[in-house]
Amino acid sequence: MVLKAFFPTCCASADSGLLVGRWVPEQSSAIVLAVVHFPFIPIQVKELLAQVQQASQVGVAVLGTWCHRQQEPEESLGHFLEGLGTIFSHEPWLQLCRERGSKSWSCKAIRQQVPVAPGVPSEDQVMLIFYDQRKVLLSQLHPPTVLPDHQAGDAVASSGSLAVVFDTVARSELLFHGDQYDEGPVRLSHWQSEGVEASVLGELAKRASGPVCLLLACLLSLVSAVSACWLWKLWPLPFIRSKLSTCEQLRHRLEHLTLVFSTQRAQSPTQLMRKANMLVSVLLDVALGLMLLSWLHSSNRIGQLADALVPVADRVAEELQHLLQWLMGAPAGLKMNRALDQVLGRFFLYHIHLWISYIHLMSPFIERILWHVGLSACLGLTVALSILSDIIALLTFHIYCFYVYGARLYCLKIYGLSSLWRLFRGKKWNVLRQRVDSCSYNLDQLFIGTLLFTILVFLLPTTALYYLVFTLLRLLVVTVQGLIHLLVDLINSLPLYSLGLRLCRPYRLAAGVKFRVLEHEAGRPLRLLMQINPLPYSHVVHTYRLPSCGCHPKHSWGSLCRKLFFGELIYPWRQRGDRQD
Amino acid sequence: MEDERSFSDICGGRLVLQRRYYSPFCREFCLTCPRLSLCSLTAVTCTVWLAAYGLFTLWENSMILSAAIFITLLGLLGYLHFVKIDQETLLIIDSLGIQMTSSYASGKESTTFIEMGNVKDVVINEAIYMQKVIYYLCILLKDPVEPHKISQVVPVFQEQSSGRSTSQCGLFQTPGLEWFLSQA
């Protein structure tokens, strides 16, 4: 196998010295982490490497020599570097060499122990791969490969060689603490040599985050304790809570905030990203909510809204009354059963009359209620949208009632018809065997059954028409509510922090690597540049999506049509709590 | 060292294959696709604008014309950025892996790198396109959980393998490919 030497680009201009890194024999690759400069004492170098090895569980060793020289080779330096091979013995011993100011590199890998001809050290073919140490240190491979612990021996043959490179660089943080300008015993060159990265704001935020998290965690636990109080379990409060989507959204947000401000540190990078995504989502939500609040409270919009609400409700009721009058006549030229038509029509008209009276009763208080509800937008745009959805549900409660009446009536009719149709053919439903069996009926049973069947068949068009009209209205309301829920879901689950990271720092989220062949001269080793291939946006959203409320339709189109045909009640938007039923 | 040969695909466009030999263990194959032809571009633009003008005479709304211009521009930009592949490159590095790069007409490059440890085999597959049988090269990947199973079949030179190239047969006769097939 060709020997692959991974060399950091920051060390390409460093002075001559020793190469320090990790050798992976299964993949025949040498990962160079830093360069130790002259002068050094070998004992201290070995101590430092042992320290790093113990702290990071990475087998760091001296891999070879690095020579950055002028045009004319310095003989003494050459011999000195070769002599170092005997002090720090490593198989194979790398010798990298570069002429100052030019792009010609040379590298040799010498094996002492397995010579082709006895007494002559053999040389391997070497390939140089340059990598940006800072980017490789900070980036995270997707999908994350879990490498086995190194205490059990280096079992890296099964994992890819690139995952090993990323893992090695990420674990060797301790090696990057010392610098060539430090006063310590060993002078190193690595990615921090161009200047240690730190930020005052970052450090301050880290110090302040501890007490702030503690305070907020206490507040949030207090709020959750209050909401779990036994008072809320008294009927009918749990029933109302399960029906309102606002309570569900508030609970969801409370969960998110508890996770974000918990005093435990994140165990893995995925958990950290999730926390960050939740925090950004909550902040955006609150920002949008405050914008909505300021828009609502400016130039008396709430008053205008409240003034417009009652006439709109009146208009809707009027339209419904017109619809019912039309149904009671000859709708679309169909001939209805007069008596049943009148009964149903008058029944529904009375309901609408009740509803209008109720709305008129509430009208003086509407502006106050809307003003207080508008304040809730400061908790977030999602809360405001959930409240809007709940208000729509409350205002169209009469449509929901009509739908339930129509559906129940139609359902009863359909079941009656199917059972009497079986009787008409001389069959019966066997409950024990769950199948249709033949049965001999008496004459009077057959007579009554056929009579009832005829009555139901002739009354079917009327009931079916009422059912159709009210189901369509109900589906319209459900669609509007569904769209609002979709928007709330989108704000809840979109991973904005990950998307921002992918936009501004694409190397942090890596799907893989890509190689570029650098200028090649005959007789020189092959040089490649390894760059990070960022994750596509669709994968970012898919991997880091936050779990949503769980309010999505649980029926497929087929089952929905079947339920509509048989008159069973449909509840397309189930809250999460109802799923346990 | 470099080598260039030209072929033609089913539609008559000119394909150019370049082989670069960097070192005994690194080679590159570069396939250049036929460029966007001016005739087809003019034809599509004229069709869209004639349709827009027809709608304009019907409805007398000048927004239709501006909308047609927008659609044409956005459609062309989208086509150049997401659909039209200019060049496809296959870079093979011994004991490291295989890299496939597609560069689009707008300059975007999309790269996939497959490590050598994941490659099970390289095969030539047959496919039926309309009334012909065409051959295309593909890489079989190992399943990470079960090493004996095949998890994915990755066709090399995606755009060409979508069925427009009969020159693959000519491609397979180049000596570089025998070396490539022996690498896996």
Side-chain angles (χ1 to χ4, degrees):
Chain A
M1 244 203 252
V2 179
L3 197 146
K4 300 176 278 274
F6 290 89
F7 194 78
T9 45
C10 46
C11 296
S13 52
D15 289 331
S16 312
L18 281 179
L19 292 170
V20 160
R22 181 180 171 194
W23 166 247
V24 185
E26 295 89 6
Q27 282 137 16
S28 182
S29 51
I31 307 167
V32 175
L33 292 168
V35 173
V36 177
H37 294 293
F38 308 116
F40 57 82
I41 304 174
I43 303 286
Q44 284 173 340
V45 173
K46 285 188 186 169
E47 263 174 27
L48 174 72
L49 292 179
Q51 227 177 16
V52 172
Q53 191 155 350
Q54 199 185 27
S56 63
Q57 310 291 334
V58 172
V60 185
V62 175
L63 295 175
T65 55
W66 161 245
C67 178
H68 194 194
R69 57 180 190 201
Q70 304 295 333
Q71 289 288 94
E72 300 84 34
E74 296 161 8
E75 289 297 329
S76 55
L77 192 62
H79 286 308
F80 176 59
L81 289 175
E82 278 169 25
L84 283 173
T86 49
I87 307 178
F88 301 100
S89 58
H90 189 266
E91 269 292 296
W93 185 251
L94 273 179
Q95 287 180 334
L96 291 178
C97 195
R98 181 191 175 188
E99 283 174 19
R100 211 172 270 275
S102 86
K103 288 198 185 145
S104 49
W105 291 63
S106 79
C107 49
K108 289 187 278 190
I110 302 172
R111 284 185 190 271
Q112 294 281 358
Q113 286 175 5
V114 191
V116 170
V120 175
S122 66
E123 279 191 20
D124 274 349
Q125 293 263 20
V126 186
M127 189 162 64
L128 270 177
I129 302 174
F130 296 108
Y131 69 97
D132 189 330
Q133 205 165 42
R134 178 175 167 266
K135 289 192 179 168
V136 169
L137 182 75
L138 291 174
S139 85
Q140 195 194 336
L141 270 181
H142 297 81
T145 43
V146 179
L147 287 172
D149 221 1
H150 292 267
Q151 283 151 356
D154 285 12
V156 292
S158 55
S159 61
S161 54
L162 296 165
V164 174
V165 173
F166 278 77
D167 184 60
T168 310
V169 176
R171 285 199 202 195
S172 320
E173 290 258 17
L174 190 57
L175 194 63
F176 303 135
H177 284 179
D179 193 59
Q180 64 173 332
Y181 303 110
D182 281 348
E183 294 301 322
V186 180
R187 292 166 54 227
L188 293 166
S189 236
H190 43 70
W191 67 280
Q192 301 263 35
S193 309
E194 286 152 31
V196 178
E197 281 196 1
S199 123
V200 173
L201 286 174
E203 294 298 314
L204 281 176
K206 271 191 210 165
R207 297 258 183 265
S209 67
V212 165
C213 273
L214 203 60
L215 182 68
L216 285 170
C218 291
L219 274 174
L220 287 169
S221 60
L222 202 68
V223 172
S224 0
V226 165
S227 71
C229 174
W230 62 272
L231 276 175
W232 297 105
K233 304 246 186 322
L234 297 173
W235 200 88
L237 285 174
F239 177 73
I240 296 178
R241 270 178 81 177
S242 68
K243 293 295 172 206
L244 287 179
S245 58
T246 316
C247 299
E248 180 65 31
Q249 176 64 21
L250 282 172
R251 199 171 59 79
H252 193 65
R253 275 295 183 222
L254 192 66
E255 254 176 45
H256 278 189
L257 284 174
T258 322
L259 189 63
V260 168
F261 291 117
S262 74
T263 44
Q264 281 177 321
R265 285 187 73 90
Q267 249 74 33
S268 68
T270 321
Q271 273 192 0
L272 188 67
M273 289 290 261
R274 179 174 276 211
K275 274 189 166 187
N277 279 327
M278 280 181 189
L279 183 65
V280 172
S281 160
V282 167
L283 285 176
L284 179 77
D285 203 10
V286 170
L288 286 175
L290 287 173
M291 270 170 50
L292 179 70
L293 192 70
S294 67
W295 178 81
L296 272 180
H297 284 253
S298 70
S299 65
N300 198 22
R301 289 246 164 69
I302 298 231
Q304 288 172 7
L305 218 72
D307 288 339
L309 203 64
V310 175
V312 162
D314 268 343
R315 183 76 204 280
V316 166
E318 221 179 277
E319 292 296 321
L320 269 178
Q321 276 173 339
H322 284 305
L323 183 71
L324 281 167
Q325 298 286 1
W326 181 68
L327 282 176
M328 274 161 58
L334 295 169
K335 195 151 194 301
M336 314 288 276
N337 181 292
R338 196 125 179 88
L340 185 62
D341 215 356
Q342 294 285 327
V343 162
L344 286 175
R346 291 224 182 97
F347 179 63
F348 291 136
L349 277 172
Y350 178 64
H351 266 83
I352 293 178
H353 172 77
L354 275 179
W355 187 251
I356 289 298
S357 326
Y358 169 67
I359 295 274
H360 281 275
L361 205 70
M362 288 275 293
S363 58
F365 306 109
I366 287 197
E367 187 170 342
R368 278 282 112 196
I369 295 176
L370 273 183
W371 194 86
H372 287 289
V373 157
L375 275 187
S376 72
C378 71
L379 287 174
L381 183 68
T382 46
V383 176
L385 285 175
S386 314
I387 291 185
L388 179 69
S389 157
D390 286 335
I391 287 179
I392 290 178
L394 281 176
L395 284 181
T396 56
F397 189 63
H398 51 323
I399 295 181
Y400 174 66
C401 283
F402 293 169
Y403 163 71
V404 172
Y405 297 150
R408 285 274 182 245
L409 215 58
Y410 178 76
C411 184
L412 274 173
K413 184 159 280 199
I414 291 285
Y415 277 114
L417 270 175
S418 58
S419 164
L420 290 171
W421 171 245
R422 276 184 231 121
L423 179 138
F424 193 68
R425 283 158 50 220
K427 302 223 190 276
K428 193 178 83 163
W429 174 253
N430 190 340
V431 183
L432 213 60
R433 299 265 179 131
Q434 294 287 314
R435 66 174 187 202
V436 178
D437 276 339
S438 60
C439 170
S440 59
Y441 291 101
N442 291 340
L443 192 63
D444 41 356
Q445 281 175 331
L446 276 175
F447 180 65
I448 302 276
T450 315
L451 200 66
L452 284 173
F453 176 71
T454 324
I455 292 173
L456 284 178
V457 161
F458 287 136
L459 289 179
L460 186 64
T462 317
T463 332
L465 194 70
Y466 274 91
Y467 172 65
L468 184 73
V469 167
F470 291 129
T471 310
L472 286 175
L473 283 174
R474 170 82 184 135
L475 285 178
L476 186 70
V477 172
V478 161
T479 314
V480 169
Q481 275 192 296
L483 285 172
I484 296 179
H485 280 234
L486 215 64
L487 189 60
V488 167
D489 226 10
L490 185 73
I491 301 181
N492 268 345
S493 66
L494 200 64
L496 286 165
Y497 177 73
S498 306
L499 286 174
L501 205 63
R502 168 67 184 85
L503 195 68
C504 306
R505 304 249 186 280
Y507 56 85
R508 290 283 294 268
L509 304 167
V513 293
K514 53 188 178 192
F515 291 93
R516 193 157 67 90
V517 182
L518 297 175
E519 281 169 29
H520 181 63
E521 294 164 37
R524 297 285 184 184
L526 180 70
R527 296 181 306 144
L528 298 168
L529 177 66
M530 181 172 93
Q531 289 165 316
I532 296 192
N533 203 11
L535 208 55
Y537 286 102
S538 51
H539 285 234
V540 173
V541 172
H542 184 72
T543 317
Y544 290 110
R545 273 196 82 181
L546 294 170
S548 65
C549 237
C551 309
H552 47 261
K554 52 180 227 174
H555 299 307
S556 66
W557 289 107
S559 73
L560 188 72
C561 288
R562 197 183 147 275
K563 286 200 170 196
L564 284 175
F565 184 71
F566 283 113
E568 288 167 28
L569 290 176
I570 44 170
Y571 298 104
W573 309 104
R574 275 275 186 211
Q575 311 290 354
R576 186 153 54 156
D578 294 348
R579 279 231 211 119
Q580 279 119 24
D581 297 340
Chain B
M1 54 177 110
E2 283 199 24
D3 188 331
E4 206 176 290
R5 288 173 64 168
S6 72
F7 303 91
S8 69
D9 68 4
I10 295 180
C11 309
R14 190 167 158 263
L15 286 174
V16 177
L17 173 72
Q18 275 181 322
R19 295 176 302 146
R20 282 193 209 108
Y21 172 87
Y22 290 115
S23 100
F25 37 82
C26 178
R27 292 200 198 184
E28 194 175 44
F29 298 90
C30 185
L31 199 62
T32 319
C33 311
R35 306 275 175 183
L36 183 64
S37 81
L38 208 55
C39 297
S40 61
L41 182 65
T42 324
V44 171
T45 317
C46 286
T47 324
V48 173
W49 283 1
L50 275 174
Y53 194 68
L55 287 175
F56 171 69
T57 46
L58 207 65
W59 282 323
E60 302 289 335
N61 192 354
S62 65
M63 284 293 289
I64 299 178
L65 295 177
S66 351
I69 294 176
F70 261 125
I71 291 171
T72 319
L73 276 176
L74 287 175
L76 184 66
L77 283 175
Y79 177 71
L80 289 178
H81 193 71
F82 293 112
V83 178
K84 180 84 188 73
I85 294 187
D86 218 10
Q87 199 181 49
E88 283 180 293
T89 314
L90 183 71
L91 176 69
I92 303 140
I93 308 165
D94 186 20
S95 81
L96 200 59
I98 304 172
Q99 175 171 289
M100 295 177 290
T101 315
S102 313
S103 49
Y104 292 83
S106 64
K108 173 174 105 155
E109 278 190 11
S110 105
T111 318
T112 327
F113 180 74
I114 304 170
E115 290 188 49
M116 214 38 117
N118 288 344
V119 173
K120 193 172 162 69
D121 204 356
V122 177
V123 296
I124 297 177
N125 233 353
E126 289 178 336
I128 298 178
Y129 176 72
M130 304 267 256
Q131 80 283 15
K132 292 191 224 256
V133 176
I134 57 161
Y135 304 93
Y136 62 96
L137 203 62
C138 54
I139 304 174
L140 300 175
L141 298 184
K142 278 187 209 161
D143 200 23
V145 176
E146 278 198 52
H148 298 293
K149 275 195 181 169
I150 298 170
S151 81
Q152 235 186 332
V153 176
V154 180
V156 174
F157 299 129
Q158 284 272 29
E159 189 54 32
Q160 310 313 306
S161 316
S162 65
R164 297 186 307 160
S165 164
T166 41
S167 66
Q168 294 273 337
C169 308
L171 198 75
F172 298 149
Q173 285 155 18
T174 63
L177 240 3
E178 282 148 26
W179 169 84
F180 170 48
L181 289 170
S182 69
Q183 287 302 305

